């Protein structure tokens, strides 16, 4: 299943997705909370966090299922993606891929 490229995080979202920051997210519907929380979980995993140590709370089962689907879907996508596709996603998450990382695509 091909996934669309990750949309770049807006500055406030990038700050909230930073694994070094403690974050509480509260915003109106459609503001990008799920994108932010999924990006934060991905960044935490990329930073070496143990998956069993992560906790993300939502108010509905639907929101939790959507966040889970986004994170697991992106991880599965990366397993078969080219280095260039992964590098583009890392940049969208606010990260800088290693020098030469995308050169092998």
């Amino acid at each position: 299943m091909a996934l669309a490229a990750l949309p770049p995080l807006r500055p406030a979202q990038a700050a909230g997705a930073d694994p070094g920051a403690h974050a509480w997210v509260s915003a109106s519907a459609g503001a990008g909370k799920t994108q932010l929380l999924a990006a934060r979980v991905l960044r935490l995993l990329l930073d070496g966090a143990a998956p069993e140590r992560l906790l993300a709370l939502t108010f509905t089962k639907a929101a939790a299922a959507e966040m889970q689907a986004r994170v697991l879907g992106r991880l599965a996508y990366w397993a078969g993606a080219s280095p260039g596709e992964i590098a583009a996603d890392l940049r969208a998450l606010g990260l800088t891929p290693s020098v030469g990382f995308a050169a092998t695509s």
Side-chain angles (χ1 to χ4, degrees), residues 4-83:
L6 283 174
L9 297 174
R10 295 186 300 269
Q13 288 175 315
D18 180 357
H22 294 283
W24 172 269
V25 180
S26 177
S28 61
K33 294 179 298 294
T34 303
Q35 178 187 6
L36 164 63
L37 292 172
R40 183 173 176 83
V41 169
L42 290 168
R43 296 246 342 234
L44 285 163
L45 293 170
L46 289 167
D47 202 42
E52 68 273 12
R53 304 275 305 160
L54 300 180
L55 174 66
L57 302 174
T58 66
F59 286 104
T60 67
K61 287 182 182 180
E66 175 64 22
M67 188 174 13
Q68 179 184 30
R70 288 187 191 195
V71 171
L72 294 178
R74 190 56 54 177
L75 293 173
Y77 170 74
W78 286 346
S82 72

